[in-house]
């Protein structure tokens, strides 16, 4: 070989080795995804997102396009890339992230399959929600820099392997009480983003209580004009116009979250009673209330105008609600005699049904008759849940001593109450909906919900302290089969979310029970 040939060979070798970089070895089984995926197999290598990566959609479909844009936005802002989506029926090629809507029979509702190789990623699901959850998994598999909005160095590596995943329960929810303290639409949207990240799909909004009425009802305008004008502690309160409320519903829907609106009746109604004298048995409007007592107010159950009122309210609310459920409250009606409460709840259920919606109510409603589709939300008495089951109802699991996000972690932590329990991060995680009470079995349960009451919190920062880090645990109970839920395994994954929580600016409680651990930076492994 002459000298020239040698030079050419050397140059081509250099060019070759610079352009075809070996994939970085990575172990997918070291992931810290929450909720824990149902099954996962590691392949020891990795896929790298680069400026040349293409997001491929297998169909020309507007929701799929929305998902593609959601994924490119997620990637583009911290990488500085300008990735775009492309519709093609091609099979995966090098550098593709392929989003595939598929009718394959081994896929289930909301489930997804991820196949990650050094060449490409294929994310397959039967429905759009499944693809969205697969994207949330990819997000958690990426370095937490993916949460930032300014350009970061990268590299953007995802460990290779396969994941098959689907939820245990169809209803995976949280509740926010916007009545005791009002939360701005932007704050509610932030909560929606948090729920979406952990594959939760219901947000129950507690829209009315003694201290405030928060949703505009056009046929009864004083509910918000007067009844929405304050909150616990005497602050200015607030309310959602129907337009802003519809925007929240849409924002949630795009993230596969259904809003479940609650108007709490016949108790917890002082804001309405203060706004309209005729709703009171004595025809006198009450004073607005800014304290935190419960159980002192009731609609006048034997006046016809009361039923006209709830019919108007539920008609307007049903028109704003794409979801199947409306929540009628029904809790702590201590000043409504049971003989009045029962026929009232019976009639309220029929009114909701007449507007095309199914009913959810707090567990006390099980004293009444149950319409065939009514759901009893167990918060206080398992006995009421069992009573509902005997009458044909299903149960939503929210036992206050385990699932209430407004319970303090311990006696020293800021915010929250402790009437049901102190709920440390382990206690909130270590329980199972099917074994926590006798006589409530898997078939009776539609899912779980973690309610956040807002007597002690006035804005989303304060709310975050109660929500994090317990919310991911409730999401895992609702998603992951019980055989895969184990505190020691979970607490390590939770601890590894610390850097992500920090980058997201989340005000979380740094529980001593969690082994908080700053994230390993993959780029150091890259240096050779
Ligand atoms: C009980 S839970 C209530 C709420 C309070 C909550 C505080 C339920 C159905 N009723 O009115 O805000 O306790 O933890």
């Amino acid at each position: 070989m002459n000298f020239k040939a040698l030079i050419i060979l050397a140059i081509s070798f250099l060019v070759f080795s610079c352009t075809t970089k070996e994939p970085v070895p990575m172990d997918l089984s070291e992931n810290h995804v929450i909720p824990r995926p149902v099954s996962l197999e590691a392949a020891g290598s990795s896929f790298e997102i680069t400026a040349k990566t293409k997001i491929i959609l297998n169909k020309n479909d507007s929701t799929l396009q929305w998902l593609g844009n959601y994924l490119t936005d997620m990637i583009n802002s911290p990488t500085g890339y300008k990735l775009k989506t492309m519709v093609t029926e091609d099979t995966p090629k090098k550098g593709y992230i392929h989003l595939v809507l598929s009718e394959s029979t081994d896929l289930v509702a909301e489930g997804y399959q991820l196949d990650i190789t050094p060449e490409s990623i294929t994310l397959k699901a039967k429905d759009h929600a499944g693809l969205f959850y697969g994207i949330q998994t990819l997000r958690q598999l990426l370095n937490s820099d993916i949460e930032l909005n300014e350009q970061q160095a990268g590299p953007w590596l995802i460990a290779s392997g396969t994941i098959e995943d689907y939820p245990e329960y169809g209803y995976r929810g949280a509740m926010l009480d916007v009545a005791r303290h009002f939360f701005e639409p932007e704050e509610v949207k932030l909560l929606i983003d948090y729920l979406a990240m952990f594959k939760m799909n219901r947000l129950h909004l507690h829209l009315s209580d003694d201290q405030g009425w928060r949703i505009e009802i056009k046929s009864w305008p004083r509910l918000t004009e007067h009844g929405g004008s304050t909150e616990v502690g005497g602050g200015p309160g607030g309310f959602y116009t129907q337009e802003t409320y519809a925007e929240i519903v849409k924002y949630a829907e795009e993230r596969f979250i259904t809003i479940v609106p609650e108007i709490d009746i016949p108790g917890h109604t002082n804001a309405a009673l203060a706004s309209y004298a005729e709703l009171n048995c004595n025809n006198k409007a009450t004073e607005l209330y800014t304290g935190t007592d419960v159980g002192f107010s009731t609609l006048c159950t034997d006046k016809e105008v009361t039923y006209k009122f709830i019919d108007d309210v539920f008609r307007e609310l049903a028109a704003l609600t794409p979801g199947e459920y409306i929540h009628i409250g029904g809790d702590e009606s201590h000043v409504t005699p049971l003989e009045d409460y029962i026929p009232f709840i019976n009639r309220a259920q029929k009114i909701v049904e007449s507007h095309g919606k199914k009913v959810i109510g707090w567990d006390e409603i099980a004293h009444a008759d149950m319409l065939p589709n009514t759901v009893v939300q167990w918060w206080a008495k398992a006995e009421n849940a069992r009573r509902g089951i005997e009458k044909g109802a299903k149960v939503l699991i929210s036992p206050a001593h385990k699932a209430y996000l407004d319970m303090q972690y311990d006696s020293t932590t800021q915010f929250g109450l402790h009437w049901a329990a102190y709920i440390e991060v382990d206690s909130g995680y270590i329980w199972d909906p099917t074994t926590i009470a006798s006589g409530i079995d898997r078939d009776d349960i539609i899912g779980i919900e973690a309610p956040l009451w807002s007597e002690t919190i006035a804005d989303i920062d304060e709310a975050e302290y109660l929500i994090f880090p317990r919310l991911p645990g409730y999401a895992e109970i609702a998603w992951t089969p019980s055989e895969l839920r184990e505190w020691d395994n979970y607490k390590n994954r939770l601890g590894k979310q610390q850097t992500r929580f920090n980058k997201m600016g989340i005000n979380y409680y740094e529980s001593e029970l969690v082994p908080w651990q700053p994230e390993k930076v993959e780029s150091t492994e890259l240096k050779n």
Side-chain angles (χ1 to χ4, degrees):
M1 201 186 285
N2 63 25
F3 182 69
K4 219 166 149 191
L6 202 68
I7 294 284
I8 291 172
L9 198 72
I11 290 176
S12 24
F13 176 77
L14 266 177
V15 169
F16 180 78
S17 55
C18 289
T19 50
T20 54
K21 231 178 12 186
E22 279 298 299
V24 179
M26 280 177 82
D27 187 354
L28 182 63
S29 57
E30 278 178 11
N31 79 84
H32 47 263
V33 174
I34 298 176
R36 187 177 188 180
V38 174
S39 81
L40 182 143
E41 233 174 280
S45 189
S46 64
F47 176 87
E48 180 174 359
I49 299 178
T50 69
K52 291 186 187 147
T53 301
K54 291 199 167 59
I55 313 292
I56 306 295
L57 315 175
N58 76 322
K59 281 196 176 110
N60 201 350
D61 149 326
S62 61
T63 310
L64 188 56
Q65 189 64 61
W66 188 91
L67 286 162
N69 294 343
Y70 178 91
L71 179 59
T72 48
D73 287 351
M74 175 181 114
I75 295 171
N76 288 347
S77 55
T79 60
Y81 301 155
K82 297 191 173 60
L83 305 194
K84 292 205 172 64
T85 62
M86 229 170 76
V87 181
T88 147
E89 281 170 22
D90 275 9
T91 45
K93 290 208 182 98
K94 195 166 165 43
Y96 277 15
I97 299 180
H98 213 182
L99 305 190
V100 180
L101 262 183
S102 156
E103 266 140 41
S104 157
T105 46
D106 54 347
L107 291 162
V108 298
E110 298 186 286
Y112 65 91
Q113 292 176 355
L114 259 175
D115 191 8
I116 305 159
T117 73
E119 284 75 43
S120 65
I121 295 180
T122 303
L123 167 57
K124 213 182 260 182
K126 182 192 193 108
D127 48 32
H128 297 106
L131 292 177
F132 186 72
Y133 299 138
I135 292 172
Q136 297 307 326
T137 297
L138 287 176
R139 170 183 181 182
Q140 290 193 42
L141 291 174
L142 279 159
N143 178 298
S144 62
D145 278 353
I146 199 72
E147 306 299 342
L148 299 172
N149 290 320
E150 307 80 49
Q151 193 171 332
Q152 308 298 312
W156 305 94
L157 301 171
I158 301 180
S160 67
T162 54
I163 295 180
E164 267 187 59
D165 202 13
Y166 50 85
E168 172 68 22
Y169 292 100
Y171 191 119
R172 307 181 299 280
M175 186 206 82
L176 180 64
D177 171 8
V178 296
R180 270 51 176 273
H181 280 97
F182 181 64
F183 287 77
E184 297 296 336
E186 290 314 309
E187 297 178 301
V188 179
K189 288 181 184 169
L190 195 54
L191 176 57
I192 288 169
D193 287 337
Y194 294 151
L195 299 183
M197 176 170 181
F198 298 106
K199 306 184 175 84
M200 296 181 103
N201 64 359
R202 298 285 186 279
L203 175 61
H204 166 184
L205 290 176
H206 183 74
L207 291 167
S208 69
D209 212 303
D210 292 317
Q211 299 86 347
W213 187 287
R214 309 298 179 202
I215 175 76
E216 177 192 20
I217 300 295
K218 296 197 192 270
S219 53
W220 296 75
R222 270 182 65 78
L223 289 172
T224 44
E225 280 165 14
H226 185 65
S229 67
T230 191
E231 60 185 7
V232 165
F239 66 92
Y240 310 119
T241 63
Q242 294 200 355
E243 286 79 4
T244 17
Y245 184 79
E247 268 171 39
I248 294 172
V249 169
K250 176 161 176 277
Y251 187 87
E253 213 178 9
E254 287 172 338
R255 287 152 186 78
F256 303 92
I257 292 172
T258 307
I259 301 289
V260 178
E262 177 187 352
I263 295 297
D264 200 350
I265 50 174
H268 289 279
T269 41
N270 184 70
L273 298 167
S275 305
Y276 287 98
E278 64 263 45
L279 298 176
N280 295 271
C281 285
N282 65 3
N283 287 317
K284 283 205 190 98
T286 59
E287 293 295 316
L288 290 172
Y289 181 70
T290 60
T292 58
D293 288 347
V294 295
F296 60 87
S297 58
T298 184
L299 293 172
C300 190
T301 56
D302 45 33
K303 269 183 158 185
E304 217 29 52
V305 65
T306 297
Y307 300 94
K308 161 98 175 86
F309 168 70
I310 63 178
D311 186 57
D312 287 339
V313 168
F314 288 136
R315 178 173 18 79
E316 291 193 33
L317 199 56
L320 291 165
T321 303
E324 57 185 336
Y325 290 112
I326 281 190
H327 201 301
I328 63 169
D331 58 314
E332 299 173 320
S333 282
H334 302 322
V335 293
T336 323
L338 196 59
E339 63 267 30
D340 297 338
Y341 177 85
I342 290 172
F344 175 87
I345 294 293
N346 287 343
R347 212 165 150 185
Q349 286 179 83
K350 289 192 185 127
I351 290 172
V352 169
E353 192 191 39
S354 78
H355 297 300
K357 298 295 171 189
K358 299 172 185 168
V359 172
I360 306 187
W362 298 110
D363 65 49
E364 291 94 322
I365 69 159
H367 287 287
D369 300 335
M370 297 282 93
L371 284 183
N373 290 312
T374 292
V375 170
V376 170
Q377 184 169 10
W378 168 34
W379 68 282
K381 289 193 177 157
E383 180 193 322
N384 283 339
R386 288 189 286 267
R387 185 177 278 145
I389 290 166
E390 270 163 37
K391 295 179 181 178
K394 297 277 185 222
V395 178
L396 177 58
I397 303 283
S398 305
H401 67 291
K402 283 289 174 188
Y404 265 28
L405 283 167
D406 68 313
M407 292 299 119
Q408 281 172 280
Y409 296 95
D410 68 29
S411 67
T412 67
T413 56
Q414 207 188 355
F415 306 118
L417 306 168
H418 54 260
W419 63 265
Y422 292 111
I423 308 180
E424 246 296 353
V425 184
D426 59 346
S427 170
Y429 179 80
I430 306 171
W431 61 280
D432 186 79
T434 60
T435 53
I436 186 165
S438 64
I440 308 177
D441 303 325
R442 180 63 188 88
D443 285 350
D444 304 316
I445 300 171
I446 66 164
I448 86 157
E449 183 180 287
L452 178 55
W453 300 95
S454 63
E455 286 94 334
T456 66
I457 49 172
D459 59 35
I460 194 72
D461 279 341
E462 295 179 357
E464 281 173 6
Y465 187 78
L466 294 170
I467 294 169
F468 286 98
R470 286 181 291 202
L471 184 83
Y474 298 124
E476 183 150 306
I477 294 173
W479 180 280
T480 305
S482 59
E483 317 84 79
L484 292 177
R485 278 190 273 117
E486 203 240 319
W487 168 248
D488 282 334
N489 176 290
Y490 173 73
K491 74 175 183 195
N492 283 312
R493 279 179 289 126
L494 183 59
K496 289 182 183 150
Q497 303 271 348
Q498 180 174 39
T499 312
R500 192 172 299 262
F501 290 172
N502 288 339
K503 288 178 185 166
M504 291 173 76
I506 293 172
N507 176 30
Y508 59 94
Y509 160 59
E510 216 170 319
S511 168
E512 283 175 10
L513 303 179
V514 179
W516 298 108
Q517 207 182 308
E519 193 172 80
K520 270 196 288 173
V521 183
E522 285 121 352
S523 55
T524 56
E525 292 170 20
L526 251 194
K527 299 217 173 83
N528 45 29

